[in-house]
């Protein structure tokens, strides 16, 4: 007669962790999550989610590290998520931006393609990442804002107020963002 494996070993499964997939029991995984929570503290990820193409990547990586995510969108872009909290804000101009900045804190991570939001997040001591994977920093934000201003001024002067949208996103773009975003998390925790 064969002996049964101890229940603790039989109940093991693969969990995604900060070091990659690991086989462990539910109890061990709970202990891992508790330890990660101590490292992470009150850290949070906020996503300016209106027309954001990297929400799924952010959630996957955040879940791996046990970091809570809040997606902010206006009433024109209502989202649903199994992992993230979703905050829907009125459709007023910059309403999502102001709400995001009002709730983020020092040490949080903000994902936005809006340079103005990034500048305000940096001013609060948060980290900011563009959906391309580019990090906004105190060293580059002024230049980025000035370039945006000069480009807008040039468009107005030429009468070309409508510009082409961004180029189509590729799997390589997603991979670059994923690597950059995970590197940001590792740097912060």
């Amino acid at each position: 007669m064969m002996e049964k494996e101890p229940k603790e070993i039989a109940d093991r499964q693969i969990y995604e962790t900060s070091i990659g997939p690991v086989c462990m029991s539910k109890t061990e995984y709970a202990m891992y999550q508790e330890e990660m929570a101590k490292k992470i503290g009150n850290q949070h990820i906020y996503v300016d989610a209106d027309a954001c193409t990297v929400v799924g990547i952010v959630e996957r990586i955040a879940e791996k590290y046990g970091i809570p995510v809040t997606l902010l969108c206006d009433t024109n872009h209502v989202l649903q998520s199994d992992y993230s909290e979703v905050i829907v804000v009125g459709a007023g101009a910059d309403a999502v931006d102001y709400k995001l900045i009002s709730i983020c804190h020092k040490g949080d991570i903000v994902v936005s393609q809006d340079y103005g939001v990034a500048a305000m997040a940096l001013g609060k001591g948060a980290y900011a990442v563009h959906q391309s994977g580019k990090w906004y920093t105190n060293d580059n934000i002024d230049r980025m804002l000035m370039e945006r201003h000069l480009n807008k001024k040039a468009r107005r002067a030429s009468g070309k107020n409508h510009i082409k949208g961004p180029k189509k996103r590729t799997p390589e773009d997603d991979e670059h963002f994923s690597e950059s975003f995970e590197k940001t998390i590792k740097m912060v925790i």
Side-chain angles (χ1 to χ4, degrees):
M1 183 160 138
M2 284 185 59
E3 287 186 37
K4 285 187 178 178
E5 284 187 40
K7 187 171 174 42
E8 198 174 298
I9 293 172
D11 289 343
R12 289 179 152 333
Q13 58 187 42
I14 304 293
Y15 291 95
E16 188 64 40
T17 70
S18 60
I19 60 168
V22 175
C23 183
M24 61 180 102
S25 69
K26 285 183 180 180
T27 304
E28 290 168 327
Y29 185 63
M31 289 168 47
Y32 162 78
Q33 287 180 311
E34 194 175 297
E35 192 61 36
M36 286 303 291
K38 287 178 192 172
K39 280 185 179 180
I40 293 164
N42 293 326
Q43 186 174 33
H44 204 97
I45 298 168
Y46 295 97
V47 181
D48 180 356
D50 286 340
C52 181
T53 58
V54 296
V55 169
I57 297 168
V58 168
E59 289 181 322
R60 178 178 48 79
I61 294 171
E63 188 171 12
K64 178 176 167 179
Y65 288 89
I67 302 172
V69 175
T70 299
L71 307 175
L72 291 97
C73 60
D74 66 25
T75 54
N76 296 320
H77 302 94
V78 177
L79 303 171
Q80 294 181 353
S81 173
D82 292 332
Y83 181 75
S84 302
E85 172 188 14
V86 177
I87 296 177
V88 180
V89 181
D94 300 323
V96 170
D97 302 345
Y98 293 128
K99 178 65 177 179
L100 188 155
I101 294 305
S102 75
I103 61 177
C104 83
H105 298 92
K106 182 176 182 172
D108 289 335
I109 298 173
V110 172
V111 178
S112 178
Q113 59 185 341
D114 185 313
Y115 295 177
V117 170
M120 290 186 285
L122 291 171
K124 289 188 81 171
Y127 299 89
V129 182
H130 188 276
Q131 64 186 24
S132 68
K134 183 171 182 70
W135 292 354
Y136 299 103
T137 67
N138 289 322
D139 294 332
N140 69 12
I141 194 65
D142 288 338
R143 178 185 49 78
M144 294 170 87
L145 288 167
M146 182 55 76
E147 286 174 3
R148 180 181 75 169
H149 170 72
L150 293 174
N151 288 336
K152 187 175 184 178
K153 198 171 171 181
R155 280 194 309 276
R156 279 194 195 142
S158 71
K160 293 183 180 178
N161 287 326
H162 182 73
I163 57 172
K164 291 184 204 174
K167 65 181 174 119
K168 187 173 177 167
R169 193 161 182 91
T170 66
E172 290 80 19
D173 294 331
D174 288 344
E175 183 61 32
H176 178 71
F177 173 79
S178 182
E179 289 171 5
S180 177
F181 184 67
E182 191 157 7
K183 193 180 288 186
T184 303
I185 290 175
K186 288 178 178 180
M187 178 184 69
V188 171
I189 58 173

